[in-house]
Amino acid sequence: MKEVRYYGRTFTAAELEFIRKIVADRERHPHRLTTSRAVCEQLGWLRPDGRLKDMSARVALLRMHRDGLIVLPAPRNENRNGRCRPALTAASDPGPAVEGTPRDLNSLRLRPVETRRDSSLWNEVVERYHYLGYVPLPGAQLRYLVEGADQL
């Protein structure tokens, strides 16, 4: 095998052999995360800002694994993307009806979703009230919660 290309990077036969050695060293790299980080560090696979291209490496390593080029350790956790609906709690229960004119709604504000707690609430609200329910969104996104003056 000469070289293969995964996720914007061409891997030479020598690099694939080097990756196999990293993967085989289960004492130093017992799981996929440490393996992908070691691959990035050793091959200099970095983002423009100098950080490791870790997610690209994980995806590339998984593809190599599926294509039979390497054998990765078993995953530590099951990937539940799209299969786990958020639990509905009292936090998303319907509140009193909002009535009045647009002028009466001046006390509403949009608050960016920034914490895990906010993210869980956002997922729950979408599951409860959106006609399609909750499904994981691909890629980066900006999400907001709407709050009234009594919630500030």
Side-chain angles (χ1 to χ4, degrees):
M1 176 177 299
K2 295 179 184 174
E3 44 187 51
V4 293
R5 186 166 180 83
Y6 292 100
Y7 293 90
R9 190 180 201 300
T10 301
F11 296 88
T12 65
E15 287 175 326
L16 283 172
E17 192 55 39
F18 189 71
I19 290 169
R20 285 186 192 100
K21 288 179 183 174
I22 291 172
V23 171
D25 187 355
R26 298 285 165 85
E27 190 169 310
R28 290 181 62 203
H29 311 293
H31 44 77
R32 294 174 179 202
L33 177 62
T34 58
T35 302
S36 66
R37 287 182 179 163
V39 167
C40 286
E41 289 167 357
Q42 298 300 316
L43 299 182
W45 199 3
L46 306 172
R47 299 180 198 174
D49 65 4
R51 292 185 298 155
L52 300 177
K53 254 189 158 173
D54 185 51
M55 185 53 77
S56 296
R58 277 188 259 171
V59 173
L61 291 172
L62 182 59
R63 288 284 306 275
M64 289 177 193
H65 174 80
R66 289 180 177 160
D67 291 346
L69 299 174
I70 62 173
V71 179
L72 288 173
R76 292 187 297 170
N77 302 312
E78 178 185 348
N79 179 351
R80 299 182 328 209
N81 285 343
R83 291 184 275 154
C84 185
R85 298 281 197 205
L88 300 180
T89 67
S92 68
D93 280 349
V98 176
E99 296 178 3
T101 66
R103 185 178 311 236
D104 297 331
L105 302 180
N106 283 338
S107 63
L108 294 180
R109 76 173 183 114
L110 293 176
R111 182 172 56 81
V113 171
E114 297 176 326
T115 65
R116 277 191 189 269
R117 185 174 179 188
D118 287 348
S119 184
S120 294
L121 177 59
W122 189 91
N123 293 344
E124 183 180 334
V125 168
V126 169
E127 173 65 18
R128 186 181 292 248
Y129 298 105
H130 193 280
Y131 71 99
L132 293 176
Y134 168 80
V135 291
L137 299 172
Q141 67 256 188
L142 291 174
R143 298 176 295 161
Y144 295 88
L145 293 167
V146 178
E147 294 180 329
D150 61 331
Q151 296 171 315
L152 299 176

